Amino acid sequence: MSRDMSDVARDRHGRPPRGRTRGGPTSRFTAAFHSWWARRHGHAPPASDTGGGPPPAAAGAGAGAGGSTPARSTLWRMRTTVRDEPGALASLCTALAGESVDILSLQTHPLGRATVDEFLLRAPADLSGTGLTAAVAGAGGTDTWIERADAHDLVDAPTRMLGLAARTALDASELPLALRQLLGRCTIRSLPAVPGAGRRAPEGVPVEGTLEDTVMRLRAPEGGVITVERPYLPFTPTEFARARALVELDARLGPRVPRGQDVLTLPEGSDITVRRADTGDLEAARAMHERCSPETLRLRYHGPVGDVDRYLNHLLSPRFGRTLAVRTASGQIVGLGHLLWDGDETEVALLVEDAWQRRGIGGKLLARLVAMAGEAGCAHVYAVTQASNTGMVAAMRGLELPLDYQIEEGTLVITARLDQRPARRAQEERVEREEHGEQEHGGSRIGRRS
């Protein structure tokens, strides 16, 4: 990732840009984040939501001939390139049949004189990927790519595209996730049209986008650039057209988030609401910043607080994740919680106005963010804070999840493993929702007032 990309990512997460001179006002924060930023993945959505994680090792089962005991089998996804001439595909299918391989689905991607054929295969469990590749190569297939598949891959392409379009239509933050599910293992980065201080604007991309082997660039709906990179496996024109169609759908529908909300009663008896927020809430979020003390802003943004307002546009953008806002009965925002896509280790961040702290708001926000991360298929969430921020540490511990701690020069990174969430805790939350008469609505739960 280039230095410019890192700076954009830093603004998006509400942290100041790297100090320009040694001994400057931000230099003490630079060292604390140097090693942590080195391992970041950019604006990538969670891989586990999109089939981008390690291929499953479990094998499916297939029925043996003549109703005999079912033979063990394995699902594979395979791509190979064959000559675009009569009989080429037939030779390939014959070779697969000779290995007792069942072709469950086939898509073709024309490339002029050649065709990229994408298969979903059920093969005998004792047939390795190397064996499959060798059989395909013997039938004329070249540039073969293969990996394990699972039951989710059994959905046919038109059905999958319609499902991804529906997700994108309901929620603008679903676009990166939908692209990842459409294209498989890839890295997605978003650059805003207007750069922050000290950074170059993204290079211009034509309206129709560009496709260069393993990299595609698309014009983002708000005028920025969405870059999609996939190692080793070039994108086909068909994949490029599908991705462009999703982005165009997002652009036509405009900014949108689900408007369902939770109504929560605090210990002292007052009610607050929690709902999704986006850049339309920018002014209310800035007003909350003005009411926060410098210490509260410093704990949240990990550095000088004079220009923290410029981070908000990135934080509230659905391109980089999801945001929850806590509002009072008068409509003021008194708390913000962010779920920010960062590869497999999605980040969570909280800010609660001073006058509303120590009322349990942070813990309730964090629990909802973690639940959203779980629904998106994230395996981990992490929080970056300071060792002195006892409120954030307590909120993370209150999740009752396995936690890992890393600390360097006062900067604390706490990682929670969502794949080990206790079943008992999940059951307790379901019972609690039922007792409070909550109902599902537009992806959010609404608590009924008594």
Side-chain angles (χ1 to χ4, degrees):
M1 183 184 295
S2 67
R3 176 175 174 179
D4 296 320
M5 182 70 73
S6 298
D7 284 345
V8 171
R10 186 182 307 269
D11 274 353
R12 184 256 294 186
H13 288 279
R15 286 179 287 275
R18 186 175 301 172
R20 302 300 186 206
T21 59
R22 182 174 301 176
T26 63
S27 61
R28 63 192 182 94
F29 303 104
T30 302
F33 283 110
H34 179 72
S35 61
W36 179 68
W37 275 106
R39 68 179 179 87
R40 294 187 61 81
H41 304 288
H43 302 321
S48 52
D49 177 63
T50 58
S68 59
T69 303
R72 294 181 60 217
S73 62
T74 304
L75 293 176
W76 295 93
R77 291 177 59 223
M78 183 184 73
R79 278 193 180 193
T80 192
T81 303
V82 298
R83 299 183 305 277
D84 189 10
E85 60 184 38
L89 179 58
S91 298
L92 188 62
C93 294
T94 300
L96 292 173
E99 299 291 340
S100 299
V101 176
D102 186 15
I103 299 175
L104 303 179
S105 69
L106 167 63
Q107 295 185 62
T108 59
H109 303 251
L111 295 176
R113 296 182 179 181
T115 299
V116 174
D117 292 328
E118 183 173 355
F119 295 89
L120 178 62
L121 305 172
R122 179 184 287 121
D126 57 358
L127 179 61
S128 66
T130 303
L132 263 175
T133 303
V136 169
T142 60
D143 298 325
T144 301
W145 168 88
I146 190 169
E147 73 169 0
R148 293 285 184 90
D150 60 26
H152 294 91
D153 294 298
L154 293 171
V155 179
D156 64 277
T159 301
R160 175 176 295 184
M161 281 298 301
L162 287 172
L164 296 178
R167 285 175 52 181
T168 304
L170 291 172
D171 187 347
S173 72
E174 289 286 337
L175 179 63
L177 298 174
L179 288 172
R180 272 295 296 269
Q181 188 163 345
L182 173 68
L183 302 171
R185 299 180 184 182
C186 58
T187 298
I188 299 175
R189 297 186 178 92
S190 297
L191 283 176
V194 180
R199 287 171 302 282
R200 298 192 304 268
E203 296 181 3
V205 172
V207 175
E208 66 273 13
T210 61
L211 173 61
E212 301 173 2
D213 199 35
T214 60
V215 179
M216 69 171 72
R217 293 181 175 86
L218 303 165
R219 181 78 67 85
E222 66 278 1
V225 176
I226 299 174
T227 301
V228 187
E229 300 180 53
R230 184 170 66 189
Y232 312 121
L233 186 62
F235 294 112
T236 66
T238 301
E239 289 178 309
F240 179 60
R242 291 171 179 172
R244 192 171 59 188
L246 272 180
V247 174
E248 183 178 351
L249 172 66
D250 183 87
R252 287 180 177 274
L253 293 175
R256 65 212 173 276
V257 295
R259 289 303 179 185
Q261 65 182 21
D262 291 345
V263 179
L264 304 177
T265 301
L266 298 179
E268 70 272 18
S270 58
D271 285 344
I272 58 172
T273 60
V274 181
R275 67 167 177 83
R276 289 280 299 279
D278 59 11
T279 51
D281 299 290
L282 186 59
E283 291 305 316
R286 285 175 175 164
M288 184 190 71
H289 269 181
E290 294 176 359
R291 296 191 300 270
C292 288
S293 68
E295 176 64 12
T296 290
L297 295 177
R298 184 187 67 82
L299 288 175
R300 165 61 185 92
Y301 295 105
H302 317 288
V305 299
D307 55 356
V308 295
D309 282 356
R310 68 189 180 95
Y311 306 139
L312 282 174
N313 199 56
H314 291 290
L315 291 168
L316 293 172
S317 171
R319 293 288 166 261
F320 306 131
R322 298 171 181 169
T323 297
L324 293 176
V326 177
R327 290 182 179 269
T328 64
S330 63
Q332 283 188 333
I333 290 181
V334 296
L336 289 172
H338 304 286
L339 185 70
L340 302 165
W341 304 140
D342 183 27
D344 296 334
E345 298 179 339
T346 306
E347 182 179 358
V348 290
L350 301 175
L351 176 64
V352 178
E353 185 180 327
D354 297 63
W356 291 83
Q357 292 176 8
R358 299 178 183 84
R359 302 189 191 187
I361 293 176
K364 293 180 183 297
L365 263 182
L366 185 60
R368 280 158 174 75
L369 293 172
V370 169
M372 292 168 64
E375 292 169 359
C378 305
H380 304 81
V381 297
Y382 70 89
V384 180
T385 185
Q386 298 179 36
S388 60
N389 192 347
T390 57
M392 188 64 181
V393 174
M396 290 294 289
R397 288 177 176 171
L399 295 173
E400 298 183 11
L401 292 170
L403 301 178
D404 295 326
Y405 299 86
Q406 290 182 330
I407 188 168
E408 181 179 349
E409 298 187 18
T411 298
L412 178 64
V413 180
I414 310 174
T415 302
R417 300 197 298 276
L418 306 189
D419 52 354
Q420 298 186 32
R421 184 179 182 124
R424 178 180 176 184
R425 177 60 179 166
Q427 176 65 25
E428 289 175 351
E429 291 180 354
R430 285 195 296 271
V431 171
E432 181 180 353
R433 291 197 298 268
E434 291 172 359
E435 290 177 348
H436 285 79
E438 293 180 340
Q439 60 183 355
E440 295 296 328
H441 180 73
S444 300
R445 288 181 294 274
I446 303 177
R448 299 176 183 150
R449 295 177 184 265
S450 57

